[in-house]
Amino acid sequence: ALMLMVAGQAWAMGEGLHVIQGGPAYFNVGVGAFNAAGVVPGPGHRGNATLPEIDLEYQTAAKLFGVGALYGIVANTDGGFMGYTGFYSD
């Protein structure tokens, strides 16, 4: 076990193991259609129209072990919107 610890430390120092990594941040914009498949809810509901939507997403530059955070919002022209957060990796 001691040998593995020493070998692991030597590998981390020699190869440049980066726990916290940097890089470019990204801002993505997407356009699409909400309910593009035309799904209709059950009886007694008004129909779901197909509406234009926009997606704005920000991916952070800092990563921990190659995993970064992302934040975004999706909005349609009928006033509906949803915010989200998650993780990404290259």
Side-chain angles (χ1 to χ4, degrees):
L2 180 60
M3 240 171 125
L4 288 174
M5 286 175 39
V6 170
Q9 286 177 350
W11 175 77
M13 288 182 199
E15 296 295 321
L17 177 65
H18 300 284
V19 175
I20 298 178
Q21 301 167 339
Y26 293 100
F27 182 74
N28 301 311
V29 177
V31 293
F34 174 79
N35 194 27
V39 176
V40 178
H45 292 51
R46 65 182 178 100
N48 284 343
T50 301
L51 302 169
E53 71 175 19
I54 188 167
D55 179 19
L56 306 172
E57 182 177 283
Y58 174 73
Q59 296 178 351
T60 61
K63 298 178 190 168
L64 181 63
F65 293 107
V67 178
L70 62 88
Y71 309 96
I73 187 167
V74 177
N76 65 28
T77 56
D78 196 29
F81 66 93
M82 176 189 74
Y84 63 92
T85 185
F87 301 101
Y88 78 96
S89 179
D90 295 335

